[in-house]
């Protein structure tokens, strides 16, 4: 098992992405060492201080300590790894991971004493997996973790889940994340698709050239061990979330690109890693953009320097790595995300002009003629809505016509006589009127049955105008903002405090005074003579 | 605190006599100069008290009218045609009064006239010159609703004949201006008559806008102080005074109309002093006409 020095040789000359790859390998073997012989593991000393190890030390001590040596991060890794397996074609997965190893040479556990324990485990487990494999061929799509046979090895991991609720929640969060760089690294530990991909690359590196079959066996064993972890770990977490929310996602192998993975997964196992260096094999790693880089596919590529090769690997990973985010999967071949076809179909309908839009995007798009033809009778709507739609109380949402209808269906549509404002609008009205209509909420848009002339007097139109003078007032000149209004009132109050007293008595007194004096003008213009009186009286003096 | 402020601050026992005292204070002391805002507020208070214009619920009334938006299109287009050039060469006015404010005020006035119908008077919804007439009010009053209320009081209560459909009062005012010039300064009157310059030709803007078309606006406000106190008929005599002040230039000018098209900047105190001095020269008969021409649409002046 002279594994460790090899990947460490690769580390210094690798790019960012490649460091991950090599470390994945490193991690993998580190974990393997931990599980098979914790004492010999020089890289990551297992933590013996964990309280959980003592709890479970009675049954399967070796196993449990391994589990504990996985810290919280490792648990998360496991979980995210197994997310990869969810909803995939399990036949392929099992073929990849279990069938081939079982047909390979039996594992040699002759190393040290502790390995003997692991050897027993391994045998038992491989038997398990064989049975499981057969079972799963019939139970396609059913997560294998549910099978009772696999529940057997459940150990502290179950308890761990219970005792670490916070960790679990963290894991779930992480699962929903997209495949970041760290995720890639994590996933590689268990030999999931990405990792295998990277693993396949070692044919180009010296790392693989040194490899021996024994190491492959070891790799297998460790892989299975990891797999056991996952099973017990994942069972309580994912089954709840995924199955309650929606049926497990079935992805075809083409979507997942497993065919490629199969070839490239673990070349070491096939004793023909030399073949991988052929030009034809390298074609698999070629980037798809042929126009610019077609020349690179020439056989001379085998002579490219290490750094160039690494670059190629990186590109290959970028372009061929199937990604998964939540229920969505990325298909690198079609460059599309899949998994939400149902949700998307709704929008496809909307894009068609004969459907009513949830969101009206194009202002200039003619809606009128087609919307009329599409409109269905109330009875049709009821019939259609019974298949699908939300129900709240006695009301049900009519998906097709995007409105709420009564479930019993005995009531007439109260809006049947009300015209559809928007549909006829787009055909006959001016742009400005259309704009004003669009300002209204969607609920105000009602089916149209009337002509344009009657629509002008319809309740929809009048209701719009009755929204207030503000609504029709588009000129900013006549919009007095609250700040200005506040100032107006402030000044008026100030005026009232200062000179309001001059108006309490009103003008009655002065008018009666004028009447008494028989002043020349009945319109209270006596004051206009005051100046004349003053001037004349002063002139006399 | 000036004496006018103090006087305004106390509630009058007898409004009629208190108003007479206030007029005298305005005539004798004038409204003291201070910061624009303070003097504006004080001046607005004085004007509103003198004009018997209560600002009670001025804001709510104004906002209701403004919310109705622009008046019917012919009126609104006339308004918009004038608002942007209202005293647009007066930097201080432009800085203090926005075109929107002028538009709002004039539109609100036209709505108010439309609402009143033909009951009271023959007020026009809008005539050219109203924009200039409202300018000193917007310039002075601390808020638009108060300016609007004062504007409405001024138009409906003080110079209703000036703003009827045929501008009856303005044309009568022009005739009275010719008469007053003839009485006050016969030589100048003859000169103008020789040049065929009647008040109809040169005096209409000053008459219609109560001299607010003449710069500077601050002096216009002082002139208005006096006119709010003693009557806007005095505007005719103030125009005479402005003519008399530049009479030498007019009579020496080869084209006197150029001088009269836009009166030169004036000093309000000088104009008021002269104008008040002319009162004694105006016969009682013509003084009556001066008073009546503002409000009597049936007045015929020969």
């Amino acid at each position: 098992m002279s594994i460790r020095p090899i990947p460490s040789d690769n580390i210094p000359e690798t790019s960012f992405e490649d460091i991950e790859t090599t470390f994945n390998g490193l991690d993998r073997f580190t974990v393997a060492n931990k599980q098979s012989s914790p004492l010999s593991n020089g890289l990551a000393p297992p933590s013996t201080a964990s309280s959980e190890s003592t709890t479970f030390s009675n049954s399967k001590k070796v196993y449990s300590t391994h589990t504990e040596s996985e810290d919280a991060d490792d648990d998360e890794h496991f979980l995210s790894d197994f997310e990869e397996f969810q909803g995939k074609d399990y036949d392929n997965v099992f073929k990849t991971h279990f069938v081939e190893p079982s047909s390979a040479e039996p594992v040699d556990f002759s190393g040290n004493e502790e390995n003997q324990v692991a050897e027993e485990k391994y045998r038992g487990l491989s038997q398990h997996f064989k049975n499981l494999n057969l079972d799963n061929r019939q139970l396609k799509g059913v997560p294998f973790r549910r099978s009772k046979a696999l529940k057997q090895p459940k150990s502290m991991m179950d308890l761990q889940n219970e005792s670490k609720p916070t960790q679990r929640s963290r894991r779930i969060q992480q699962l929903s994340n997209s495949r970041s760089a760290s995720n890639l690294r994590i996933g590689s530990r268990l030999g999931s698709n990405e990792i295998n991909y990277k693993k396949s690359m070692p044919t180009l590196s010296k790392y693989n050239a040194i490899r021996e079959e024994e190491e492959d066996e070891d790799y297998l064993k460790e892989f299975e061990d990891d797999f056991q972890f996952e099973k017990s770990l994942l069972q309580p977490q994912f089954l709840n979330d995924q199955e309650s929310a929606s049926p497990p996602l079935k992805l075809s192998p083409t979507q997942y690109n497993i065919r490629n993975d199969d070839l490239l997964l673990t070349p070491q196992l096939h004793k023909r890693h030399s073949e991988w260096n052929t030009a034809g094999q390298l074609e698999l790693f070629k980037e798809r953009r042929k126009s610019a880089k077609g020349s690179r596919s020439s056989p001379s590529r085998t002579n490219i320097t290490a750094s160039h090769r690494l670059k190629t690997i990186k590109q290959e990973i970028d372009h061929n790595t199937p990604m998964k985010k939540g229920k969505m999967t990325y298909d690198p071949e079609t460059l599309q995300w899949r998994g939400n076809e149902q949700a998307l179909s709704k929008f496809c309908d909307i894009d068609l002009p004969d459907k009513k839009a949830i969101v009206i995007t194009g202002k200039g798009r003619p809606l009128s003629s087609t919307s009329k033809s599409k409109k269905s009778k109330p009875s049709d709507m009821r019939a259609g809505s019974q298949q699908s739609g939300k129900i709240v109380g006695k009301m049900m949402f009519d998906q097709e016509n995007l409105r709420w209808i009564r479930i019993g269906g005995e009531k007439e549509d109260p809006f049947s006589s009300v015209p559809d404002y928007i549909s006829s609008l787009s055909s006959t009205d001016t742009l400005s009127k259309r704009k004003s209509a669009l300002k209204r909420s969607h609920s105000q848009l009602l089916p149209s049955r009337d002509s344009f002339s009657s629509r002008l007097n319809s309740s929809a139109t009048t209701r719009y105008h009755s929204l207030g003078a503000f609504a029709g007032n588009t000129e900013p000149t006549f919009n007095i903002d609250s700040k200005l209004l506040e100032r107006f009132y402030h000044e008026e109050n100030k005026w009232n405090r200062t000179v309001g007293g001059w108006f309490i008595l009103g003008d009655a007194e002065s008018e009666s005074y004028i009447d008494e004096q028989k002043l020349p003008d009945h319109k209270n213009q006596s004051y206009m003579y005051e100046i004349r009186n003053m001037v004349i009286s002063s002139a006399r003096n | 605190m000036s004496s006018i402020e103090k006087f305004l601050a106390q509630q009058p026992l007898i409004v009629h006599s208190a108003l007479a005292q206030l007029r005298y204070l305005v005539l004798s002391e004038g409204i003291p100069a201070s910061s624009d805002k303070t003097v504006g507020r004080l001046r607005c208070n004085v004007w509103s008290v003198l004009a018997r214009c209560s600002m009670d619920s001025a804001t709510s009334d104004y906002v209701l009218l403004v919310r109705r938006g622009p008046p019917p299109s012919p009126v609104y287009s006339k308004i918009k045609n004038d608002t942007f050039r209202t005293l647009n060469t007066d930097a201080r006015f432009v800085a203090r009064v926005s075109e929107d404010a002028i538009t709002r005020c004039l539109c609100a006035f036209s709505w108010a006239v439309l609402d009143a119908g033909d009951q009271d008077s023959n007020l026009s919804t809008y005539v050219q010159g109203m924009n200039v007439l409202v300018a000193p009010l917007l310039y002075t009053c601390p808020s638009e609703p108060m300016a609007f209320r004062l504007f409405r009081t001024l138009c409906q209560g003080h110079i209703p004949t000036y703003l009827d459909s045929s501008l009856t009062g303005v044309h009568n005012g022009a005739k009275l201006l010719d008469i007053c010039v003839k009485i006050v300064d016969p030589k100048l009157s003859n000169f103008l008559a020789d040049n065929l310059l009647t008040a109809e030709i040169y005096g209409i803007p000053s008459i219609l806008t109560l001299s607010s078309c003449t710069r500077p606006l601050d002096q216009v406000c002082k002139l208005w102080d006096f006119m709010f106190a003693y009557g806007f008929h005095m505007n005719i005599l103030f125009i005479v005074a402005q003519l008399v002040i530049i009479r030498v230039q007019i009579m020496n000018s080869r084209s006197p109309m150029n001088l009269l098209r836009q009166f030169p900047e004036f000093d309000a105190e000088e104009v008021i002093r002269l104008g008040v001095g002319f009162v004694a020269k105006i016969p009682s008969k013509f003084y009556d006409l001066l008073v009546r021409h503002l409000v009597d649409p049936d007045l015929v002046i020969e």
Side-chain angles (χ1 to χ4, degrees):
Chain A
M1 286 201 183
S2 59
I3 308 153
R4 272 190 285 122
I6 297 156
S8 60
D9 281 347
N10 272 356
I11 295 171
E13 61 172 301
T14 52
S15 68
F16 165 70
E17 290 266 331
D18 210 52
I19 281 175
E20 289 186 350
T21 320
T22 50
F23 269 124
N24 289 336
L26 191 60
D27 275 352
R28 183 193 312 261
F29 294 117
T30 315
V31 172
N33 281 336
K34 274 192 250 170
Q35 287 164 354
S36 57
S37 60
L39 294 176
S40 66
N41 189 354
L43 279 181
S47 92
T48 53
S50 170
S51 59
E52 289 156 15
S53 65
T54 54
T55 316
F56 291 94
S57 56
N58 53 356
S59 59
K60 297 181 177 180
K61 185 171 185 178
V62 180
Y63 199 64
S64 62
T65 44
H66 301 326
T67 319
E68 282 146 16
S69 69
E70 309 277 340
D71 55 18
D73 284 341
D74 283 338
D75 286 343
E76 289 174 17
H77 297 172
F78 277 123
L79 285 170
S80 55
D81 289 339
F82 283 103
E83 191 201 8
E84 295 302 309
F85 289 102
Q86 275 209 335
K88 289 180 187 171
D89 189 318
Y90 287 101
D91 281 356
N92 283 315
V93 174
F94 277 99
K95 198 163 74 182
T96 306
H97 295 299
F98 299 108
V99 179
E100 291 191 36
S102 62
S103 65
E105 286 180 30
V107 187
D108 186 10
F109 284 104
S110 61
N112 52 36
E113 296 171 5
E114 293 191 31
N115 274 350
Q116 291 187 352
V117 182
E119 183 190 2
E120 289 175 14
K121 265 193 65 61
Y122 170 75
R123 298 231 162 91
L125 282 172
S126 57
Q127 192 59 42
H128 265 312
F129 284 126
K130 275 177 190 167
N131 297 336
L132 183 66
N133 206 8
L134 290 170
D135 288 342
N136 274 306
R137 283 181 192 282
Q138 285 143 9
L139 298 169
K140 220 185 246 181
V142 177
F144 60 92
R145 317 175 205 87
R146 290 192 98 184
S147 72
K148 285 175 184 175
L150 286 177
K151 277 194 175 182
Q152 279 271 352
K154 105 179 134 182
S155 60
M156 66 286 294
M157 293 314 287
D158 288 339
L159 286 171
Q160 197 182 17
N161 292 333
E162 289 169 12
S163 63
K164 295 181 180 178
T166 53
Q167 273 191 16
R168 189 194 158 186
S169 61
R170 245 199 299 156
R171 273 178 224 131
I172 289 164
Q173 278 182 347
Q174 171 134 350
L175 286 172
S176 65
N177 284 340
S178 67
R179 183 151 296 276
S180 64
S182 63
N183 272 347
L184 279 170
R185 177 179 168 240
I186 292 156
S188 67
R189 285 178 77 256
L190 287 180
S192 62
N193 291 320
E194 298 85 340
I195 310 105
N196 292 333
Y197 232 83
K198 292 174 182 178
K199 269 301 208 181
S200 70
M201 301 316 293
T203 49
L204 296 172
S205 71
K206 44 188 175 177
Y207 161 42
N208 259 307
I210 310 167
R211 279 198 154 246
E212 300 295 337
E213 290 301 313
E214 293 171 4
E215 293 171 355
D216 293 336
E217 300 295 338
D218 189 41
Y219 159 66
L220 258 186
K221 174 179 66 70
E222 132 232 346
F223 175 81
E224 284 160 9
D225 284 346
D226 279 351
F227 201 77
Q228 264 191 334
F229 278 118
E230 148 227 347
K231 165 179 50 89
S232 55
L233 237 180
L234 289 178
Q235 189 171 3
Q237 293 150 4
F238 285 98
L239 292 183
N240 294 340
D241 292 344
Q242 296 275 336
E243 300 213 336
S244 63
S246 61
L249 201 64
K250 288 181 186 173
L251 290 177
S252 71
T254 54
Q255 276 179 306
Y256 213 60
N257 220 1
I258 280 183
R259 183 185 51 81
N260 261 346
D261 294 342
D262 227 2
L263 285 170
L264 304 171
L265 183 60
T266 51
Q268 309 93 310
L269 299 177
H270 304 286
K271 296 184 182 179
R272 44 183 178 132
H273 52 270
S274 56
E275 294 172 21
W276 297 91
N277 283 324
T278 63
Q281 200 58 49
L282 282 170
E283 285 290 327
L284 286 172
F285 303 103
K286 201 181 75 176
E287 220 174 310
R288 239 158 253 169
R289 281 173 291 171
K290 296 162 193 167
S291 58
K293 297 165 185 177
S295 61
R296 279 205 197 174
S297 61
S298 66
S300 66
R301 200 167 148 186
T302 47
N303 300 328
I304 306 175
T305 61
S307 63
H308 276 97
R309 271 185 256 131
L310 289 167
K311 194 179 275 180
T312 315
I313 292 164
K314 180 174 179 287
Q315 286 166 345
E316 190 69 15
I317 289 166
D318 287 344
H319 287 86
N320 287 325
T321 303
M323 289 190 289
K324 191 173 193 310
K325 178 171 185 177
K327 294 175 191 170
M328 302 286 291
T329 50
Y330 180 73
D331 182 2
E333 280 182 359
T334 59
L335 305 175
Q336 275 181 333
W337 286 90
R338 306 204 174 201
N340 64 340
E341 283 77 7
Q342 199 182 351
L344 279 177
S345 64
K346 240 182 214 174
F347 289 95
C348 292
D349 287 352
I350 284 158
D351 286 345
L352 296 173
D354 60 345
K355 291 266 185 173
K356 258 184 206 170
I358 291 174
V359 182
I360 297 156
T361 48
K363 282 176 187 171
R365 189 155 48 86
L367 290 167
S368 60
S369 58
T370 44
S371 73
K372 267 183 185 169
S373 64
K374 189 258 162 192
K375 195 174 28 176
S376 55
K377 287 172 187 175
S379 58
D380 297 342
M381 295 183 217
R382 278 181 208 115
S385 63
Q386 258 151 35
Q387 289 133 18
S388 66
K390 260 196 289 200
I391 295 177
V392 177
K394 288 181 181 175
M395 302 299 282
M396 181 195 291
F397 189 68
D398 178 6
Q399 296 275 9
E400 209 175 324
N401 293 285
L402 299 174
R403 57 178 220 168
W404 290 88
I405 57 167
R406 187 173 289 273
I407 286 175
E410 72 279 2
K411 281 221 170 182
E412 279 276 311
D413 178 15
F415 303 117
S416 58
S417 61
V418 180
D420 190 342
Y421 195 59
I422 189 159
S423 61
S424 34
L425 223 168
S426 52
S427 60
T428 51
D429 278 11
T430 61
L431 182 68
S432 62
K433 280 186 183 174
R434 193 181 312 155
K435 273 181 188 168
S436 64
L438 288 173
K439 280 183 191 169
R440 306 165 64 208
S441 72
H442 182 70
S443 62
Q444 287 173 290
L445 304 175
L446 301 162
S448 160
R449 299 216 158 91
D450 295 0
S451 63
F452 175 59
S453 56
S454 67
R455 191 165 39 79
L456 283 180
N457 299 324
S458 73
S459 62
T461 322
T462 49
R463 184 164 49 139
Y464 172 51
H465 286 303
S466 70
L467 289 176
F470 270 143
N473 190 359
T474 51
E475 283 213 42
T477 305
F478 299 95
N479 289 331
I480 299 173
D481 60 34
S482 57
K483 198 179 166 188
L484 194 59
L485 195 62
E486 196 181 334
R487 198 165 65 84
F488 288 172
Y489 278 113
H490 174 74
E491 290 296 341
E492 186 183 316
N493 290 335
K494 205 159 190 173
W495 178 92
N496 222 355
R497 282 197 302 273
T498 313
V499 293
W502 286 77
F503 296 88
I504 288 172
L505 296 174
D507 288 321
E509 186 197 351
S510 56
E511 277 174 14
S512 64
Y513 175 83
I514 289 160
D515 289 343
E516 287 165 17
Q517 296 292 312
K518 306 282 183 196
L519 288 172
D521 201 297
H522 64 283
K523 286 196 176 182
N524 190 16
Q525 290 174 332
S526 64
Y527 72 98
M528 298 172 88
Y529 288 87
E530 273 186 32
I531 188 69
R532 177 174 173 85
N533 295 337
M534 284 167 65
V535 169
I536 288 172
S537 65
S538 66
R540 277 177 194 158
N541 296 333
Chain B
M1 192 183 260
S2 68
S3 52
I4 286 184
E5 276 180 280
K6 282 179 197 164
F7 188 74
L8 276 179
Q10 40 185 275
Q11 186 180 340
L13 288 174
I14 301 165
V15 174
H16 181 80
S17 62
L19 281 171
Q21 290 175 54
L22 182 61
R23 288 185 191 109
Y24 184 76
L25 278 174
V26 170
L27 175 66
S28 60
E29 296 188 11
I31 291 173
S34 63
S35 75
D36 282 347
K37 206 169 180 182
T38 313
V39 79
R41 201 170 276 134
L42 173 60
R43 178 163 276 136
C44 174
N45 290 343
V46 171
W47 288 1
S48 64
V49 167
L50 289 173
R52 305 307 295 144
C53 169
S54 171
M55 295 297 172
D56 198 34
S57 71
T59 304
S60 52
D61 290 353
Y62 179 69
V63 168
L64 276 178
L65 289 170
V66 168
R67 280 185 180 178
R68 290 164 70 171
S73 64
V75 179
Y76 185 53
S77 58
K78 276 200 283 181
I79 290 172
K80 286 304 286 179
N81 196 34
D82 288 343
T83 48
F84 72 94
R85 51 182 173 183
T86 303
L87 304 187
N88 60 349
T89 54
D90 190 327
R92 293 185 71 185
F93 175 78
V94 169
R96 207 190 293 185
V97 181
S98 68
E99 190 196 334
D100 279 351
I102 302 169
T103 308
R104 281 193 292 266
C105 252
L106 294 174
C107 290
F109 182 78
S110 65
W111 277 121
V113 170
L114 287 171
D115 286 353
D118 290 336
Q119 309 164 352
D120 261 352
S121 58
N122 248 345
L123 275 182
S124 298
T125 49
Y126 177 75
V127 291
Q128 204 170 20
M130 273 190 189
N131 59 324
V132 182
L133 198 58
V134 79
L137 298 167
L138 284 168
Y139 180 75
T140 297
C141 292
S143 84
E144 269 175 57
M146 296 167 86
F148 171 73
R149 180 64 70 86
L150 261 179
F151 180 65
R152 207 173 155 182
T153 305
L154 180 67
C155 294
Q156 292 178 341
H158 293 78
I159 54 167
T161 60
Y162 277 25
L163 300 171
D164 64 17
S165 52
S166 55
L167 305 181
T168 317
V170 176
H171 296 301
N172 280 337
K175 287 173 189 167
L176 285 169
L177 178 56
D178 280 334
I179 292 169
C180 290
V181 172
K182 200 170 191 176
I183 293 168
V184 171
D185 192 340
K187 197 179 175 185
L188 178 64
S189 175
N190 285 338
F191 176 83
L192 293 173
D194 289 348
N195 288 274
L196 301 174
L197 287 170
T198 62
E200 276 288 338
I201 291 171
Y202 67 83
I204 296 292
S206 289
I207 294 166
L208 176 58
T209 65
L210 302 175
S211 291
S212 59
C213 61
T214 312
R215 297 179 70 178
L217 193 52
D218 286 321
Q219 297 301 313
V220 171
C221 287
K222 285 184 180 175
L223 217 57
W224 280 37
D225 289 341
F226 182 90
M227 293 197 286
F228 267 113
Y230 292 101
F232 286 94
H233 64 294
M234 289 298 290
N235 183 47
I236 304 293
L237 292 178
F238 291 153
I239 296 169
V240 175
Q242 290 177 68
L243 289 171
V244 168
I245 287 168
I246 58 167
R247 69 187 292 271
V248 176
Q249 294 160 265
I250 293 170
M251 291 169 78
N252 290 338
S253 171
R254 287 183 184 173
S255 56
M257 187 54 205
N258 286 344
L259 274 173
L260 299 173
R261 190 173 290 124
Q262 175 69 57
F263 285 177
E265 293 195 5
F266 68 101
D267 177 66
E269 282 186 30
E270 188 186 10
V271 168
I272 290 170
R273 195 166 53 242
L274 274 174
V276 169
F278 298 154
V279 169
K281 295 186 178 182
I282 305 295
S284 174
K285 175 193 164 190
F286 290 112
Y287 193 85
D288 282 352
L289 290 175
L290 281 176
V291 170
R292 284 171 63 196
H293 92 279
L294 297 176
V295 292
D296 187 355
D298 304 323
L299 189 68
V300 178
I301 297 168
E302 293 302 329

